[in-house]
Amino acid sequence: MWVYVKHLEHPISVSRPDPAFAKVLITQYGGPDGEFSASWRYLSQRYTMPTRQTKAICTDIGTEELAHLEMVATMVHMLTRDAGPKQMEAAGWGGHYVQHGPALYLQDAAGVPWTAAFFQSTGDPVADLTEDMAAEQKARATYERLICLATDPGIRDALRFLREREVVHFQRFGEGLMSVQEYLNNKHHAWPGYDLPKTRPGS
């Protein structure tokens, strides 16, 4: 259960319409390394995490990614809401405009729709947490490239905030991975699918 706080996690300001930048930014809405993929990756994986700590990490970060999804959606909307059909077409959004008008749609920068194949949920905590760390690094790299392309100061500020949160998430998943490995190395906490090393005679 969640409590929805009706304000953005970080304020956003946009000085002018920029559908061309919105077209690349949309990848963090519905692309393979975007916020929607991240949120549902972690909120799906949480159920098979073996410790309260790692369940909490997946729940906390998965929930925060929904807040980041809201931020990206707000930026895309603000960048396109005052753009006319010809501006959208000139920015490469002609197909999107015909199919969706001014509405948001889960897609990447090339217009490829979101698919659940963008993430895994294996039930293996080491595999899942390792994927989560890689996902955060890919998102960080994407935000850094978006910052390089952005010209609006308000957009750059919001992207920097999102980039920093990816760094924090990476660190938290790393802590979770270390705790799970310690848990699995305890012979009293064997996890299905793991062959833990047997204690040597005399040890």
Side-chain angles (χ1 to χ4, degrees), residues 58-140:
C58 286
T59 303
D60 290 348
I61 297 177
T63 302
E64 187 180 3
E65 302 292 17
L66 290 174
H68 296 171
L69 183 74
E70 184 180 33
M71 287 181 62
V72 173
T74 299
M75 284 188 280
V76 172
H77 173 67
M78 293 173 73
L79 290 166
T80 59
R81 64 183 173 186
D82 294 324
K86 293 301 183 183
Q87 285 179 286
M88 293 289 282
E89 184 179 30
W93 282 68
H96 175 94
Y97 181 79
V98 168
Q99 291 181 304
H100 309 292
L104 273 76
Y105 182 69
L106 287 167
Q107 60 186 307
D108 68 10
V112 178
W114 185 86
T115 169
F118 285 160
F119 72 85
Q120 250 290 17
S121 186
T122 68
D124 181 310
V126 173
D128 285 347
L129 289 166
T130 301
E131 180 190 12
D132 298 344
M133 293 174 68
E136 294 297 324
Q137 287 297 295
K138 287 185 283 186
R140 174 197 53 77

Side-chain angles (χ1 to χ4, degrees), residues 11-25:
I12 294 171
S13 63
V14 173
S15 60
R16 60 181 175 81
D18 189 351
F21 185 72
K23 187 178 187 299
V24 293
L25 178 59

Side-chain angles (χ1 to χ4, degrees), residues 10-53:
H10 186 83
I12 294 171
S13 63
V14 173
S15 60
R16 60 181 175 81
D18 189 351
F21 185 72
K23 187 178 187 299
V24 293
L25 178 59
I26 195 76
T27 196
Q28 286 304 95
Y29 185 68
D33 304 316
E35 304 294 355
F36 189 82
S37 295
S39 178
W40 292 108
R41 174 187 291 110
Y42 310 146
L43 293 177
S44 296
Q45 292 172 352
R46 70 174 298 279
Y47 292 97
T48 48
M49 286 294 157
T51 67
R52 290 184 178 180
Q53 178 187 1

